[in-house]
Amino acid sequence: MRDDIERVLIAEEVIEKRLDLIAGEIERDFPEGTLLVIILLKGALVFAADLLRRVARPLEIECLNVASYHGGTSSSGQVDFLDRRFPEVKDRHVLLLDDILDTGRTLHAVKQRLTEAGAAAVHTGVLLAKDKERSEEVEVDYTGFRIGDEFVVGYGLDYQGRYRNLPYVGVLKGEIAGI
Ligand code: XMP
C-alpha cells in the first residue's frame, strides 16, 4: 500500500499537533451544553475520531452518509444523501466534520439541510481544504491544512475504497490513480 504513494504531504505528527490546536479552539468557541457532532462518512471518520478524543466537552455523535465522488478522482457534481434517517438537530449547536473541502458542494448541501432542519448553529470543520475556486462558497470554521488542488489519500481519504488507514495524507503515484 505504501509503495503506491508518491510522497507524504502531511505527516502523522504534524496532523496530531494541528488537532491539539483545533480541539482547543472548539472547546473555547462552543457555548455551554452538549454539542452535537455530525461526521460525514466515510472520509471524516479518522479525522473525527482523533479530533474528538481531544475535545474535553460533553458531546453527542451522529454520522451521515453522503456521496459525491462515486469512486473516481473528481467530484460528480451531485450530492446524494444515503441515509433513511436524518439526525434530530432542532435547536442544537452542530459541529459538522468532513475530510476535505474540494468543490464545496458537499459541505454546502449538508449545512443547508441542517439549517433547514432547525439547527441553532452549524459550525464546520475539515481536515483539508484544497486551494482552488469552489462551485459553492462555504465558510469553514476549522481547517486543518490548506493543500494544492491535487488528489490525496490517507487519514480517512480513499481511492476506490483503499488507503483510508494510512496514518498520513499522501499523494498517489500517477500510474495508480490513472492520471
Ligand atoms: P466537495 O467537492 O463536495 O468534495 O467539496 C468533498 C468530498 O469529495 C471527496 N474528495 C476527495 N477524496 N481525495 C479523496 O480521497 C481527494 O483529494 C478528494 N477531494 C475531494 C471527499 O469525500 C470529500 O468529502
Side-chain angles (χ1 to χ4, degrees), residues 68-69 75 98-106 130 150-152 157-158:
S68 63
Y69 255 52
S75 172
D98 200 6
D99 51 359
I100 186 165
L101 183 70
D102 186 5
T103 65
R105 289 194 189 101
T106 304
K130 285 189 185 174
E150 59 187 339
F151 190 79
V152 292
L157 293 120
D158 74 308

Side-chain angles (χ1 to χ4, degrees), residues 40-44 66 68-69 72-75 79 98-108 128 130 132 134-135 138 147 150-154 156-159 164:
L40 295 188
L41 299 177
K42 304 171 193 155
V66 295
S68 63
Y69 255 52
T73 60
S74 64
S75 172
V79 179
D98 200 6
D99 51 359
I100 186 165
L101 183 70
D102 186 5
T103 65
R105 289 194 189 101
T106 304
L107 269 195
H108 179 81
L128 306 169
K130 285 189 185 174
K132 65 190 283 189
R134 309 207 193 286
S135 316
V138 46
I147 63 168
E150 59 187 339
F151 190 79
V152 292
V153 295
L157 293 120
D158 74 308
Y159 174 63
R164 290 193 200 275

Side-chain angles (χ1 to χ4, degrees), residues 39-53 61-63 97-99 155-157 164:
I39 302 170
L40 295 188
L41 299 177
K42 304 171 193 155
L45 260 180
V46 176
F47 165 49
D50 283 354
L51 175 66
L52 296 180
R53 277 176 295 168
I61 295 177
E62 291 276 1
C63 296
L97 294 179
D98 200 6
D99 51 359
Y155 206 77
L157 293 120
R164 290 193 200 275

